[in-house]
């Protein structure tokens, strides 16, 4: 079966901007995109540039965008992709500077991984008893499954508009060490993650969960870091208060009170409060500010649910 | 088919026009609906950040209530509620140990128990699959003949193992509905991106950049309006659009936004002949007047 691959080409030394080029390959049964690209490079166009190493979905080198989504070329059956989309369009990862064709600059990615201190830190070599490591793999929630391919960062909608954000890969790596009982730097690491580009920049869009080829679910690890942060006492920021006050309001009233929540979240933060007041007035004028003191049906059952969990924790 | 309507906090709070337009549209279509009047918040992904078991129990209460009423289809009208309630349902159905743990708490607190028999479906999916586009077309009396940019929002698409109706990479249900009302769907990258709502108050620079990017792109592609199945996306794109425009103009002074953001039932309602007033169009912060003028 003859298959057309439309590949984005770009050599910044000679090309004013990226352009698309079509290649045709004879696709054998089970052929992966990587095999097809290697065939093109060997037989059609030696200038075609991409990274690849293990060919077994382990090293993460061959991550690229295929039909707009982040995929490992070595793991992607060509025919299945063609059946699904009716076309094969290949380009470099998004959100990263392109060096040539599908090869992107990974240095900023690695800088962010380094920034979360991705290693065990112990005090004076004090060892943790072996029993404490029981079920560790389960406690890590697959955060140690990351192959550093960059799919999550390439798909991250927050990183797309805020390049300072540490990003899902680095934060999932941070969680991996926060969850490890041998690590003794839990609080300082959590403290560092409270910064302007840390855990609170995630918008929970689930893209990283969706595209991760190893089911690391980075967003879920970020959520766990947030929970650990509040548990460790980092609870006074507007971000942390979004979680605690939202939960309290629902626990008290059964539903979200959209008039009250912004006030509770920004209480004591004059700058933030001043920013939301004009908006509140505008919303009020358009009938979008619900009466804040309404008792809703079902409230008592909700309160009972909250009480039940409070009792057991 | 009978549906238990889960209105969600937003339709009973900051976007009341979603509730009124939904009731007009489902009434006209003759969908058999019983409203879950004593519903509770789905948690919006926020309560599970504080306590996942608590969030599961709140959603199990909703599902168990529908089950007790003898209805095994819950209809949502909010993309976020769909993702959270639908995702919780999937996990409760597939994980017996989780369901047992949550049921113990639910039973202690309310006497209810969830047996896993309910399906959670957004109105968007119900119209495309259960009701059918052919049947829907019989109710379209005022084809709109304008360009509409679909904005799906995150939770109605991802993670796909919990949602599974549309192809997350290339969803089509919203485009199908746009065509069904006689309008033209606009293709643009932003249609499956994030609206920024979850960080509006905390990280407004990120949220505003997202609004500016998505709305700007839709406008550039010639959209007369955008439509979304999620009231939280609606709030972000509508309420914060003027601030996003200010931000945009810091680097591109001549660019403007001003794209009306419609709730899905409002789009359907306009094509069914309901008046803009009946559909609550005046409640929007970005004026819908240019759109109304164009379709009339």
């Amino acid at each position: 079966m003859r298959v057309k691959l439309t590949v984005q080409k770009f050599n910044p030394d000679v090309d004013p901007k990226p352009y698309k080029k079509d290649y045709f390959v004879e696709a054998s049964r089970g052929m992966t995109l990587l095999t097809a690209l290697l065939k093109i490079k060997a037989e059609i166009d030696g200038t075609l540039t991409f990274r690849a190493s293990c060919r077994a979905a382990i090293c993460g080198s061959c991550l690229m965008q295929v039909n707009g989504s982040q995929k490992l070329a070595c793991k992607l059956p060509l025919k299945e992709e063609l059946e699904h989309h009716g076309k094969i369009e290949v380009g470099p990862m998004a959100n990263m500077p392109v060096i040539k064709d599908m090869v992107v600059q990974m240095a900023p990615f690695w800088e962010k991984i380094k920034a979360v201190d991705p290693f065990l830190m112990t005090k004076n070599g004090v060892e943790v008893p072996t029993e404490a490591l029981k079920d560790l793999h389960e406690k890590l929630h697959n955060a140690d499954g990351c192959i550093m391919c960059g799919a999550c960062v390439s798909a991250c909608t927050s990183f797309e508009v805020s390049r300072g954000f540490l990003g899902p890969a680095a934060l999932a790596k941070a969680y991996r060490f926060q969850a490890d009982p041998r690590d003794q730097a839990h609080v300082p690491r959590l403290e560092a993650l409270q910064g302007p580009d840390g855990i609170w920049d995630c918008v929970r869009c689930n893209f990283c969960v969706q595209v991760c080829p190893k089911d690391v679910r980075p967003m879920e690890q970020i959520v766990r870091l947030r929970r650990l942060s509040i548990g460790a006492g980092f609870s006074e920021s507007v971000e942390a208060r979004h979680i605690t006050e939202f939960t309290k309001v629902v626990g008290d009233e059964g539903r979200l009170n959209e008039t009250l929540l912004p006030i509770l979240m920004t209480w004591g933060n004059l700058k933030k409060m001043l920013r939301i007041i004009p908006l509140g007035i505008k919303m009020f004028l358009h009938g979008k500010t619900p009466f804040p003191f309404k008792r809703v049906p079902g409230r008592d059952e909700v309160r009972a649910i909250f009480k039940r969990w409070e009792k057991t924790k | 088919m009978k549906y238990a309507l889960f209105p969600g906090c937003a339709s009973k709070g900051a976007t009341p026009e979603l509730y009124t337009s939904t009731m007009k549209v489902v009434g006209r279509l003759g969908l058999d609906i019983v409203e879950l009047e004593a519903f509770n918040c789905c948690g919006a992904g926020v309560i599970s950040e504080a306590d996942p078991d608590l969030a599961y129990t709140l959603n199990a209460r909703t599902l168990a209530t529908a089950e007790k009423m003898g209805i095994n289809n819950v209809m949502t009208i909010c993309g976020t509620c769909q993702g959270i309630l639908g995702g919780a349902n999937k996990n409760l159905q597939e994980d017996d140990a989780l369901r047992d743990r949550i049921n113990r708490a639910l039973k202690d607190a309310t006497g209810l128990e969830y047996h896993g028999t309910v399906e959670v479906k957004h109105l968007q999916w119900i119209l495309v699959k259960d009701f059918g586009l052919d049947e829907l077309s019989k109710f379209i009396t005022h084809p709109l003949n304008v360009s509409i940019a679909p904005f799906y929002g995150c939770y109605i698409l991802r993670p796909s193992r919990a949602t599974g109706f549309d192809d997350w990479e290339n969803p089509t249900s919203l485009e199908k509905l746009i065509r069904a009302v006689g309008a033209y769907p606009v293709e643009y990258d932003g249609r499956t991106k994030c609206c920024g709502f979850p960080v509006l108050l905390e990280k407004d620079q990120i949220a505003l950049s997202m609004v500016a990017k998505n709305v700007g792109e839709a406008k550039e592609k010639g959209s007369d309006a955008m439509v979304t199945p999620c009231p939280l996306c609606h709030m972000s794109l509508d309420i914060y659009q003027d601030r996003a425009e200010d931000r945009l103009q810091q680097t591109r002074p001549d660019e403007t936004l001003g794209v009306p953001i419609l709730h899905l039932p409002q789009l359907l309602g306009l094509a069914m002949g309901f008046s803009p007033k009946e559909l609550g169009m005046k409640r929007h912060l970005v004026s819908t007047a240019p759109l109304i003028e164009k379709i009339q």
Side-chain angles (χ1 to χ4, degrees):
Chain A
M1 183 189 178
R2 200 168 142 83
V3 174
K4 181 171 93 173
L5 280 83
T6 305
V7 181
Q8 180 174 307
K9 294 275 292 166
F10 182 47
N11 179 352
D13 292 339
V14 291
D15 302 321
K17 57 180 184 183
Y19 63 97
K20 286 177 181 174
K21 191 169 175 182
D22 292 341
Y23 298 99
F24 293 87
V25 291
E26 201 57 44
S28 55
R29 196 169 159 223
M31 180 187 260
T32 63
L33 173 62
L34 179 58
T35 310
L37 292 172
L38 288 165
K39 201 171 155 68
I40 293 168
K41 190 171 176 68
E43 299 171 11
I44 307 171
D45 179 359
T47 72
L48 186 64
T49 309
F50 50 89
R51 285 194 183 106
S53 182
C54 75
R55 308 189 196 187
I58 299 294
C59 76
S61 316
C62 65
L63 199 284
M64 47 190 82
Q65 278 206 109
V66 189
N67 291 319
S69 301
Q70 289 67 26
K71 290 165 192 177
L72 286 174
C74 68
K75 202 186 170 192
L76 187 68
L78 208 55
K79 280 188 184 171
E80 271 179 32
E81 183 70 12
L82 187 64
E83 276 166 18
H84 185 186
H85 290 277
K87 61 179 181 180
I88 308 270
E89 284 190 3
V90 186
M93 278 195 251
N95 295 340
M96 318 249 184
V98 178
I99 296 172
K100 192 182 175 195
D101 296 348
M102 263 75 73
V103 176
V104 297
Q105 175 61 267
M106 292 291 281
F109 174 87
W110 295 113
E111 286 304 316
K112 291 187 174 182
I113 300 283
K114 275 193 231 162
V116 301
D117 294 332
F119 41 81
L120 281 178
M121 291 193 270
T122 58
K123 281 180 207 154
N124 308 320
V126 177
E127 284 190 21
V128 168
T130 316
E131 303 88 73
L133 303 177
K134 201 176 164 246
D135 303 325
L136 175 59
H137 184 70
E138 281 69 34
K139 285 177 195 153
L140 297 180
H141 299 281
N142 209 26
D144 56 349
C146 177
I147 57 171
M148 307 277 176
C149 65
C152 55
V153 175
S154 175
C156 178
T157 54
S158 189
F159 187 75
E160 189 179 15
V161 296
S162 175
R163 294 296 163 96
F165 178 34
L166 281 169
L171 292 174
K173 186 57 74 185
Y175 176 76
R176 186 256 167 269
F177 293 99
Q178 287 303 116
D180 194 317
R182 290 168 293 188
D183 189 86
Q184 289 163 333
H186 285 182
V187 175
R189 194 187 279 107
L190 283 177
E191 192 174 10
L193 297 177
Q194 307 302 308
D197 296 318
I199 49 173
W200 302 106
D201 278 24
C202 168
V203 290
R204 288 190 278 110
C205 73
N206 265 311
F207 254 119
C208 59
V209 174
Q210 188 71 55
V211 300
C212 175
K214 294 294 175 187
D215 202 29
V216 171
R217 306 188 190 186
M219 186 197 87
E220 293 181 13
Q221 318 302 353
I222 296 171
V223 166
R224 290 189 177 97
L225 285 173
R226 290 178 174 184
R227 205 178 297 136
L228 288 174
S229 297
I230 293 171
F234 299 107
S235 51
E236 286 311 307
S237 64
V238 177
E239 295 88 347
R241 284 170 76 164
H242 186 192
I243 297 173
T244 52
E245 297 301 338
F246 186 115
T247 306
K248 267 189 222 160
V249 167
V250 173
D252 189 40
E253 302 185 21
R255 293 181 198 164
L256 180 60
N257 184 326
E258 289 146 326
T259 309
L260 198 60
L261 182 67
I263 299 168
L264 294 172
M265 274 172 71
T266 56
W267 195 252
N269 186 330
L270 194 64
K271 204 175 148 199
K272 286 267 179 200
M273 274 193 115
L274 287 174
R275 279 181 71 80
I276 62 165
I277 288 169
L279 194 69
I281 294 169
K282 237 193 257 183
M283 288 180 72
F284 177 76
L285 294 174
H286 283 80
K288 293 176 102 71
T289 312
F291 183 63
F293 307 110
K294 204 164 69 178
R295 185 183 168 148
V296 300
R299 187 183 76 168
D300 293 341
E301 280 194 6
V302 173
R303 284 183 173 182
I305 289 171
F306 272 73
K307 216 175 260 174
R308 165 61 174 72
W309 281 113
E310 262 163 37
K311 241 193 278 175
T312 54
K313 283 180 176 159
Chain B
M1 203 181 287
K2 199 171 199 158
Y3 300 95
L5 171 66
F6 180 78
C9 301
S11 91
K12 291 283 186 173
T15 58
E17 70 281 1
L18 170 62
Y19 181 78
T20 48
S21 58
T22 298
M23 297 317 272
K24 295 272 178 211
V25 167
V26 299
R28 174 75 59 87
L29 296 176
L31 290 173
D32 190 0
I33 282 172
V34 181
E35 186 174 327
L36 291 166
E37 286 176 358
F39 78 92
N40 54 258
C41 175
C42 70
V46 180
I47 294 181
S48 61
E49 294 197 76
D51 184 342
D53 281 347
L54 174 61
Y56 272 121
T57 315
L58 291 171
N59 284 309
R61 174 180 175 266
T62 302
L63 300 162
T65 306
E67 210 171 47
K68 199 179 167 193
M69 289 159 70
I71 305 176
N72 44 24
N73 281 292
V74 167
M75 178 201 279
T76 61
I77 53 173
C78 165
T80 301
C81 295
Q82 176 59 43
I84 303 301
L85 182 60
N89 186 36
K90 185 100 176 154
N91 290 341
L92 289 166
Q93 285 174 333
E94 289 176 356
D95 185 340
D96 294 344
L98 172 73
R99 195 171 64 247
D100 287 348
R101 187 170 79 240
I102 298 304
N103 266 334
R104 274 197 297 277
L106 183 64
K107 209 169 178 184
D108 281 354
T110 66
L112 288 163
E113 201 173 345
Y114 180 48
H115 300 98
T117 64
V118 171
E119 267 197 81
V120 183
K121 301 174 185 173
H122 193 282
L123 171 67
Q124 180 173 315
W125 302 352
I126 289 167
L127 292 176
V128 172
K129 198 174 175 195
D130 295 358
F131 193 75
L133 295 168
D134 289 343
E135 190 60 24
L136 179 66
S137 66
K138 294 176 189 164
F139 293 85
I140 305 302
T141 52
H142 295 66
L144 299 182
N145 202 28
V146 286
S147 294
I148 304 286
F151 191 85
Y152 281 83
C154 298
Y155 291 122
I156 205 165
L157 295 174
R158 296 179 298 270
S160 57
R161 67 171 176 276
T163 54
F165 181 80
D166 263 312
D167 172 3
W168 74 270
E169 285 187 74
N170 188 23
T172 55
S173 57
L174 210 42
E175 280 82 353
K176 284 175 184 160
L177 289 167
I178 291 170
R179 280 191 204 98
V181 299
Y184 315 105
V186 173
E187 268 186 51
Y188 70 116
D189 285 346
R191 71 191 181 120
T192 60
K193 296 270 173 83
C194 177
C195 68
F197 184 85
V199 296
L200 270 179
L201 289 175
E202 309 98 292
K203 298 277 182 178
D204 57 351
Q205 295 311 306
I206 290 176
L208 292 175
S209 297
M210 288 178 171
V211 175
K213 196 167 190 298
N214 295 322
V215 178
E217 198 189 339
K219 184 171 184 181
E220 197 185 304
K221 295 281 170 80
S223 309
D224 294 300
M226 295 170 82
V227 66
T228 177
C230 180
L232 307 190
C233 295
H234 179 275
M235 278 194 252
S236 185
L237 300 174
D238 177 55
I239 294 169
Y240 278 74
Q241 204 178 123
D242 59 347
R243 283 192 184 179
E245 188 178 83
D246 290 346
R247 185 170 167 77
L248 191 68
Q249 288 175 346
Q250 285 170 12
T251 49
R252 287 176 277 175
D254 298 332
E255 283 206 37
T256 57
L257 295 173
V259 180
I261 313 295
L262 303 184
H263 297 286
L264 177 62
Q266 289 179 320
L267 180 80
L268 299 163
L270 286 171
M272 286 177 182
F274 289 108
S275 70
K277 193 179 172 194
E278 285 175 297
L279 299 169
M281 308 282 272
K282 281 224 163 149
R283 287 185 184 270
H284 296 210
L285 268 69
V286 176
S287 171
T288 55
L291 175 76
I292 305 297
E293 203 174 299
K294 202 164 177 181
I295 62 177
Q296 276 169 351

